[in-house]
Amino acid sequence: MALLQITEPGESTAPHEHRLAVGIDLGTTNSLVATVRSGQAVVLSDEMGRSLLPSVVRYGNDGHVDVGFEAQARQSLDPRNTIVSVKRFMGRGRRDIAHVESMPYDFVDAEGMVKLRTAQGVKSPVEVSADILGNLRVRAEASLGGALTGAVITVPAYFDDAQRQATKDAARLAGLNVLRLLNEPTAAAIAYGLDNGAEGIYAVYDLGGGTFDISILKLAKGIFQVLATGGDSALGGDDFDHRVFCWIIEAAKLSPVSPHDARLLQTRAREAKEYLTVHGEAPISARLASGEFVDVKLTSEIFTEITKTLVQKTLGPTRKALRDAGLSAEDVKGVVMVGGATRMPQVQKAVGEYFGREPLNNLDPDKVVALGAAIQANLLAGNRAAGDDWLLLDVIPLSLGIETMGGLTEKIIPRNSTIPVARAQDFTTFKDGQTAMALHVVQGERELVSDCRSLARFELRGIPPMVAGAARIRVTFQVDADGLLSATAREQTTGHEARIEVKPSYGLTDDEVAAMLKDGFSHATDDAFRRALREAQVEAQRLIEAVQSALKDDAHLLSILERAHVDACIAKLQAVMMGDDRRAIDAAMDALNKGTGEFAARRMNQSVQRALSGKKIEELES
Amino acid sequence: MDFNQDYFALFGLPRRQALDELALEGHYRDIQARVHPDKHAHLADVDRRLAMQWASRVNEAYLVLKSPLKRAEYLLRLLGHDPQIEHNTAMPPDFLMRQMELREAVAEARQGGDADALDHMHRQMAKEMKAQHEALAATLDQRNDHARGAELVRQLMFQEKLLHEIDNALETIEA
């Protein structure tokens, strides 16, 4: 379908200015990259025509890093250095990880997040994920023929702040400009909804390799509104494999197996699971390094039986999400199935029975998330075409709060709040003359702090001494559109302030990311420099275009003096942007940003007034 | 952004407890469609920051106006009447009695794992709250009785807490 494209004011009109943007589904088992090309969302394949990239990274003894199929092919030969399902470790400590004992890795328990000791040194899950993302970035840039403006990275809706932050860090480490972190079920809903012109209440049941999400959405008049979400960030197809693996050990009466044999049997278990999707029984055979020979048959009855509790475990969050949305199963018009694990017949059956309707399977469950992310990325990059005026309203999955006396949690932002969201609450001192306050930010639904996830600790010092209970400390939480939290505390009488971007305890600071990036490019320092410079130049060009376009539409909002100042800032940036002084470019961009702050505020006010006056965008701008 | 503008004015709605839900919904969507960060992601930092602040405020305003309890509390404060949610716990005896009975029934159903009973209570509670919402609108909009309105707000808060408890019990049973 060749539609003529009409851009909105504020966006570039020249066709060659189409910005390269991608959506990346960073999955537990497989990852994909997609883009919008000539108005169509498409998955980008590698040079061999394969769209899926196994989320497997091998750190070889020879210093070589294999990603994807190459790593997967060697996983049972080199289990310790071949990292699979790294997503399960993102933002997680050792004690958070299930089946840790049957994993072949050499874990290093770092604060906040585990690390893995490999032939190439200790790697954090963030670095491993960055290697996967970097591979997809290279694939996309080769396929699209240029540097990417940015990427939308998907995360499980039920990911907490630490897991989201870890994902964003990984993307930055891979040299990607993150346009947005997008919830996987929401991405699927976009792809499904836009494709089918769906309206009404929809549920997205997303059972991936390692995570389960359920989201309830209302689709109406171009708005995708997530009403509630729930899930389990440690439940997925991997767990079904594990049940089969345990069953094989029992059925074949095996003694404890070596890491090598364990990996082999896990692979056999996964193959058997996939085979049972279309067959009644699966033969499983393997010769182990121990000399033992495994030869057993798994029937679909036994498979259903041994995984029954796993399937049941998905229905609890489903009920909860429906109740949070104030709805019941009958209200749901369609259930969109996402994630490779939803191919299992027993999952299809259980979901169908719960909702009383056949689940929707007309999308490729492996690709739909990446496609939805690509559509969102295209929009966020500013490649808006006619008919692209839809909007997404998402929520945070877990409540955010502060620890109060006695180790209790005071919730500040409840789960399923629409983001972005800002909320403030006042606290006070406990002792006479107290001059400092330790604030502990937590996420979760439980009353006791010890049952919630600790996100960050920070201190407000310099409170003037007062009697207990007299000080007014206002704690403000701001959650952005990525679902990431920043917190501030401010003493109300003095205005004394402490501010923190909530970095999970393992904390990658901007400097650390920069240092890691530099390490990664240590053999190609010039490349790194040129890349950074080019990014700054592209960014500067974007900024100038954005401001000029705003001036074209709304110059009347500025006085002559103000206009002159903005023009001067633009001229200054134009003067330095083609040089190679990165700092000068950054400084000039900063100045232009500051110089247009008030202008931006007035434009936003004007826009809201127009929304209220009931006029449609087209009427105003024609 | 004009932080002095109240939530009713923000959505161009009259300052009343009775609410045209469709108008609220429509205006919320229209404004959000303009201020949401996704509409400004390709713009300068300052635009993106402003978009986040605007969208956060619009979300908060929508949440407050959509909930009859939060709306009434907000409206009373706007009208200069503190509903004294935290301090004033005086309730009519029959209301308190009924709340206590219900609370016991919830505890009993929770212990007995009786999801059906809880489900029934959820529906019953929702019905009672709906009646309370209507009474609240009549009291505030037609009779301008702020003191009585504040009393109804405090009762409604009890009812919401109870509903929450019922839902929590259901969750516990289902887990």
Side-chain angles (χ1 to χ4, degrees), chain A residues 199-330:
Chain A
E199 297 257 314
I201 304 293
Y202 281 78
V204 180
Y205 180 101
D206 181 356
L207 189 61
T211 57
F212 170 65
D213 282 330
I214 179 84
S215 284
I216 312 295
L217 293 101
K218 182 167 146 190
L219 277 55
K221 295 177 204 139
I223 297 201
F224 294 75
Q225 188 171 8
V226 180
L227 300 176
T229 196
D232 187 333
S233 62
L235 173 65
D238 279 5
D239 298 287
F240 289 74
D241 298 352
H242 189 75
R243 289 278 164 97
V244 175
F245 167 78
C246 294
W247 178 84
I248 297 173
I249 299 224
E250 215 181 287
K253 300 187 177 59
L254 300 174
S255 36
V257 293
S258 67
H260 172 100
D261 287 342
R263 182 49 67 73
L264 178 65
L265 289 176
Q266 273 158 2
T267 305
R268 290 285 178 275
R270 195 190 70 230
E271 288 163 358
K273 173 191 75 178
E274 285 165 5
Y275 195 76
L276 285 174
T277 297
V278 280
H279 300 88
E281 57 179 44
I284 300 167
S285 61
R287 182 169 297 284
L288 304 184
S290 64
E292 289 163 292
F293 190 70
V294 175
D295 187 16
V296 289
K297 239 186 212 110
L298 177 63
T299 64
S300 53
E301 287 76 28
I302 296 174
F303 183 44
T304 302
E305 188 55 36
I306 61 176
T307 57
K308 206 168 156 186
T309 51
L310 294 176
V311 177
Q312 280 304 318
K313 253 175 109 174
T314 65
L315 296 181
T318 303
R319 284 190 205 97
K320 191 164 126 188
L322 274 171
R323 195 161 39 239
D324 282 354
L327 299 167
S328 52
E330 308 88 80

Side-chain angles (χ1 to χ4, degrees), chain A residues 569-600:
Chain A
C569 289
I570 294 176
K572 170 79 183 155
L573 180 54
Q574 278 170 331
V576 296
M577 68 180 275
M578 283 311 144
D580 57 6
D581 186 349
R582 170 87 196 278
R583 273 166 203 277
I585 298 175
D586 285 346
M589 274 170 51
D590 212 35
L592 179 53
N593 260 316
K594 285 206 179 80
T596 52
E598 179 57 28
F599 182 40

Side-chain angles (χ1 to χ4, degrees), chain B residues 67-97:
Chain B
S67 148
L69 171 60
K70 291 197 175 86
R71 181 169 73 240
E73 197 190 327
Y74 182 76
L75 181 60
L76 278 167
R77 286 187 203 280
L78 270 186
L79 298 171
H81 190 106
D82 180 0
Q84 294 192 300
I85 291 183
E86 317 235 311
H87 313 293
N88 190 339
T89 49
M91 300 270 163
D94 54 335
F95 178 83
L96 279 179
M97 192 60 88

